[in-house]
Amino acid sequence: MSTTRAVPVRTLVCSVTGAAVVALDGTVLTLAQPALQRDLHAGVAQVQWTSTGYLVAVASLLVLAGRLGDRHGHHRVFALGALGFAAASTGIALAPGIGAVVLLRVLQGICGALLQPATLGMLRTACPPDRLTGPIALRTGAIGLAAAAGPLLGGALVSAYGWRAVFLLGVPPTLAVGLLALTVREPRPTEPARARADGEAPARARAGGDPLGAVLLAGSLGLLVHGLVTLPHPGEGGRAALTLAASAAAALALVRHARRTPDPLLPPALLRSRPVAAGLGALLAASAALSGTLFVTTYFLQETQRLDPLDAGLRFLPLAVLMVLGAAFCPPLQRRLGPRGTALAGGALLTSGVLVLARLGEGAGAVATGTGAALLGAGFVTLMVTATAAIVRHAPEAHAGVAGGLQQTAMNTGPALGVATAALLLSLVPGGGFVPAHGAALPALALLAALTLPAALALPATGGGRDAGRGDGTRQPGAARRSRRPFCVRS
């Protein structure tokens, strides 16, 4: 692989736009669900499946989709996912009933699973590892901006044109980047690098893949997310426990199978990487803490303080602002403090934000809530950029898609874990659980946020390291010299 290669502009546009559209879709749907329920005369459980079906499909297939990108090209898989996402979104906007909406949301989740790992895989195969931080920070900033704009755009569209307009919002950009991705000639890793990354697996094994491993992993992750989503519902504890037990059984079967197959779906070279494992742990804990905290605080603002949705959203505006602005400061911060120091700072900020919000009482004002939200935003974006860069940078190039799939799996599983934890703990204090200072939910989520600190300690102290370079245990010449220029773009 050339050590002077820069990220093509078309690749960067596809990566950033694809990630932003998926983030936007997740935030606008929540505002559209009440209108969708009324218009289609659906029940609450049916509407719930418009979210659950999508989440289960995405979580089940992210790693498999990344593997497909590694084998057949990330731009091709991204194009398939983006064009399919646009088609599914159009179908939902035209759907005649709730059954069609749920079915198309599952299809949309499958397509989302195809494009999400590719947004990172394209960057990893197109850019030298020591220059990945800048593009990843830009991608993260776009995700933060989309998440912040989602409620405003969604509310305006639903009010003016109805819920169907929300699903049409993402059609033009996904259609455009899907077609654009087809015009990019994808760089491919050399055969020696591929062989090293695959652990010298036989050619026949590499070509055949690992279908049983794919089924077991998809089943384990899908059942896990479904169980976590179901767990907080009243009367669903038994079914959720059975679902989670089935998920654990599938995971154990996957581990047993992986030890026997010559070319497992989850490559040993990737799983043995300490920075990759630490980055995944940090993202899982951070996304769980953030989502659970937002869940509790939103209920507090609307149910206890009786704020309307717009006023409650404005209390969280500092979080969105820090998410967008903080991404720009992550590359220079990593050059100064290194991945370990930057992640430690992010984990400390995130934990502090949860603790500040955990002290909110009935009369808490906008300043206290805004301070906690700002700390949450600054800490989460710092962890997200740093951990994602560590995962992608230290993954072998031939397994960039699997690494991207694991990163997205952590980011999709974490919120389900955080909300399930928060909902269960809220039920323990029926009278005052929605008031953070009187409940157990936010103190527990602060402990969850603090788990990012030991994960951060396992990250490299500097931007170099044993795995930097080609991802195969060697280091590219001049990597230390170029590490001061983390952003590389060419036309």
Side-chain angles (χ1 to χ4, degrees):
M1 184 180 70
S2 171
T3 60
T4 61
R5 193 172 65 216
V7 178
V9 170
R10 286 175 291 177
T11 295
L12 189 62
V13 169
C14 289
S15 176
V16 170
T17 305
V21 168
V22 172
L24 182 67
D25 178 81
T27 55
V28 299
L29 174 64
T30 303
L31 292 170
Q33 284 179 327
L36 182 153
Q37 180 181 351
R38 290 192 300 268
D39 187 41
L40 298 182
H41 308 290
V44 174
Q46 291 175 305
V47 174
Q48 176 77 21
W49 267 99
T50 63
S51 296
T52 302
Y54 178 89
L55 286 173
V56 170
V58 168
S60 301
L61 299 173
L62 281 168
V63 177
L64 177 59
R67 175 73 164 237
L68 292 175
D70 290 331
R71 293 183 178 277
H72 304 292
H74 298 294
H75 289 81
R76 293 178 185 175
V77 174
F78 175 87
L80 178 62
L83 295 175
F85 198 93
S89 299
T90 303
I92 295 171
L94 301 174
I98 188 63
V101 172
V102 171
L103 181 62
L104 287 167
R105 278 289 287 172
V106 172
L107 176 60
Q108 193 180 44
I110 295 172
C111 296
L114 289 173
L115 72 87
Q116 287 187 61
T119 63
L120 291 172
M122 289 188 294
L123 294 180
R124 175 63 180 88
T125 57
C127 187
D130 58 308
R131 297 188 184 182
L132 278 168
T133 304
I136 288 175
L138 180 60
R139 175 183 175 274
T140 303
I143 291 173
L145 182 61
L152 299 177
L153 286 174
L157 287 173
V158 172
S159 298
Y161 303 108
W163 64 269
R164 297 179 188 272
V166 164
F167 292 98
L168 293 175
L169 183 63
V171 173
T174 48
L175 182 61
V177 294
L179 296 174
L180 182 63
L182 294 175
T183 69
V184 179
R185 183 177 179 180
E186 180 161 9
R188 301 294 293 165
T190 63
E191 282 305 315
R194 186 189 300 275
R196 283 192 299 269
D198 284 342
E200 303 296 343
R204 180 179 298 178
R206 293 199 303 269
D210 182 17
L212 179 57
V215 171
L216 290 173
L217 181 63
S220 176
L221 292 173
L223 290 168
L224 173 63
V225 171
H226 185 262
L228 291 174
V229 171
T230 306
L231 190 59
H233 294 178
E236 297 288 346
R239 189 174 67 157
L242 288 175
T243 303
L244 293 174
S247 172
L252 290 174
L254 175 64
V255 172
R256 186 184 180 112
H257 166 75
R259 291 174 177 172
R260 298 178 177 181
T261 185
D263 184 31
L265 178 67
L266 298 176
L270 183 62
L271 298 180
R272 284 195 299 263
S273 172
R274 184 177 176 181
V276 171
L280 291 172
L283 288 176
L284 182 68
S287 59
L290 176 69
S291 297
T293 300
L294 293 179
F295 176 80
V296 174
T297 311
T298 298
Y299 267 94
F300 163 68
L301 294 175
Q302 296 191 32
E303 298 296 325
T304 301
Q305 294 199 325
R306 301 297 180 182
L307 298 180
D308 61 41
L310 178 59
D311 288 337
L314 290 175
R315 295 283 179 98
F316 286 116
L317 188 59
L319 185 151
V321 172
L322 266 295
M323 277 281 292
V324 175
L325 297 180
F329 289 95
C330 286
L333 194 61
Q334 286 195 49
R335 293 197 298 274
R336 184 176 183 85
L337 301 179
R340 182 184 301 166
T342 305
L344 283 171
L349 288 170
L350 180 70
T351 305
S352 298
V354 180
L355 289 174
V356 168
L357 294 174
R359 300 187 62 179
L360 296 180
E362 290 91 336
V367 173
T369 306
T371 300
L375 291 169
L376 283 180
F380 184 76
V381 73
T382 303
L383 279 168
M384 184 176 176
V385 172
T386 307
T388 299
I391 293 167
V392 178
R393 178 175 183 172
H394 291 272
E397 184 180 344
H399 296 313
V402 174
L406 289 171
Q407 188 268 355
Q408 292 293 324
T409 298
M411 294 296 294
N412 280 273
T413 306
L417 174 63
V419 172
T421 300
L424 286 174
L425 291 174
L426 284 174
S427 65
L428 298 178
V429 190
F434 285 141
V435 179
H438 299 164
L442 288 191
L445 290 169
L447 293 176
L448 191 57
L451 292 178
T452 60
L453 299 175
L457 288 172
L459 292 175
T462 64
R466 184 182 69 83
D467 294 329
R470 290 192 297 267
D472 56 6
T474 64
R475 185 168 178 162
Q476 297 182 43
R481 181 172 63 253
R482 289 193 314 274
S483 65
R484 294 182 178 276
R485 300 167 56 200
F487 211 132
C488 53
V489 179
R490 65 176 170 84
S491 58

